[in-house]
Amino acid sequence: MTAPAVDWRLIAEEARPGPMQMALDEVAAETAAAGGPATVRTYRWDPSCLTLGYRQDPSTVDWAFCEHEGIDVTRRQTGGGGIYHDAHGDVAYSIAVPASVVPGELLDCYHLLCEPILDAFARLGVDADYADEATPELYHPACYLRDLHPAHDVVAGGSGAAEPRKIAGNAQYRKRDAVIQHGSLTFSVDAERHLGAFADPPVTETEFRNRVVGMDELTDAARGDAVNAVADALTAWVTAGTDEAGGTDEYIDIDRDGSWTDAELRRAADLAEAKYRDPEWVRTRPGSEREE
């Protein structure tokens, strides 16, 4: 595994509301595009959050359920269907890197940035990989219930499952000469709340569990172990090829205890309020839905 040879910072898991997490992803991309360090990080949704795909119809959301259950709702920059991110059951990560140092072809770039994610599952003893074959969709508005595609959907086996089930959702977009990839790794499945966040999905909880699997079904690891595995895999990916002193032929710098600058946090807070919490962004569909 070889990460692009640029300066990197690794930011440990932080618990923040969904709009702020999406704003920080955008800010990390701006920093990378402006010549600052590329960023790899893990994060936690607090409170639980439903993220809509960029062009998803807001009428597919059960707004009353989300309000009653204290579930935030925001809209991602990436496409696809909605994802319910549970505060306990979801382990999130993102990678922000200059576009000039990664493959220009979307799928090649995606596979490069997914390398540490597959490694994280391996570190936990979870046999996860891209789907072997296509699987028909169950419910289009929900990312995890769309058709499974061998090119990009990550699945894992499970006890009693007739076939591998989806365990991670990953997506990327380009902004201001940077690439941002973010993803959700399922630690524990809460089918009731996931389905409840959508408006009348024609899928039972049993059908949902037959399509989606959590790490807690496949390993005895605690959630903290899963977070550490993702962080360790990201660190190993970024530092691969460095010498014992931490340097490389390209003289890159790696900050293993990275953090946000005050300016970045202010910028993200402004973005969170002006964009990712703004009803016009969250509840207005920006054009016809785009397939990924």
Side-chain angles (χ1 to χ4, degrees), residues 28 31 65 83 235:
T31 295
F65 177 89
I83 304 177
T235 301

Side-chain angles (χ1 to χ4, degrees), residues 50-156:
L50 174 69
T51 63
L52 305 182
Y54 179 66
R55 297 193 186 276
Q56 185 173 345
D57 187 343
S59 69
T60 60
V61 177
D62 189 328
W63 296 95
F65 177 89
C66 290
E67 182 177 358
H68 180 269
E69 295 296 317
I71 299 171
D72 264 355
V73 182
T74 190
R75 187 179 293 275
R76 305 187 307 271
Q77 291 273 17
T78 48
I83 304 177
Y84 166 70
H85 308 277
D86 191 75
H88 172 75
D90 185 289
V91 176
Y93 78 93
S94 67
I95 302 172
V97 63
S100 61
V101 299
V102 294
E105 179 64 35
L106 174 63
L107 196 57
D108 291 341
C109 183
Y110 175 84
H111 284 166
L112 170 66
L113 302 186
C114 274
E115 285 181 354
I117 305 311
L118 295 178
D119 179 43
F121 286 124
R123 289 167 182 262
L124 290 165
V126 173
D127 184 15
D129 206 340
Y130 300 110
D132 288 332
E133 58 186 26
T135 304
E137 76 174 24
L138 298 177
Y139 178 59
H140 193 70
C143 174
Y144 277 44
L145 298 178
R146 288 189 170 189
D147 57 306
L148 298 181
H149 196 289
H152 53 73
D153 282 309
V154 178
V155 299

Side-chain angles (χ1 to χ4, degrees), residues 18 42 50 59 89 112 143-144 156 168 185 193 202 210 271 273 275 278 286 291:
T42 54
L50 174 69
S59 69
L112 170 66
C143 174
Y144 277 44
L185 286 61
R193 281 169 66 86
N210 286 338
L271 264 179
E273 291 306 312
K275 181 176 182 178
D278 182 9
E291 296 294 335

Side-chain angles (χ1 to χ4, degrees), residues 20-21 46 53 69 74 104 122 132 137 150 164 172 194 202 204 238 248 264 270 287:
M20 185 64 170
Q21 298 291 22
D46 184 18
E69 295 296 317
T74 190
D132 288 332
E137 76 174 24
Q172 69 175 237
H194 202 132
T204 67
V238 166
T248 68
E264 285 176 318
D270 290 343

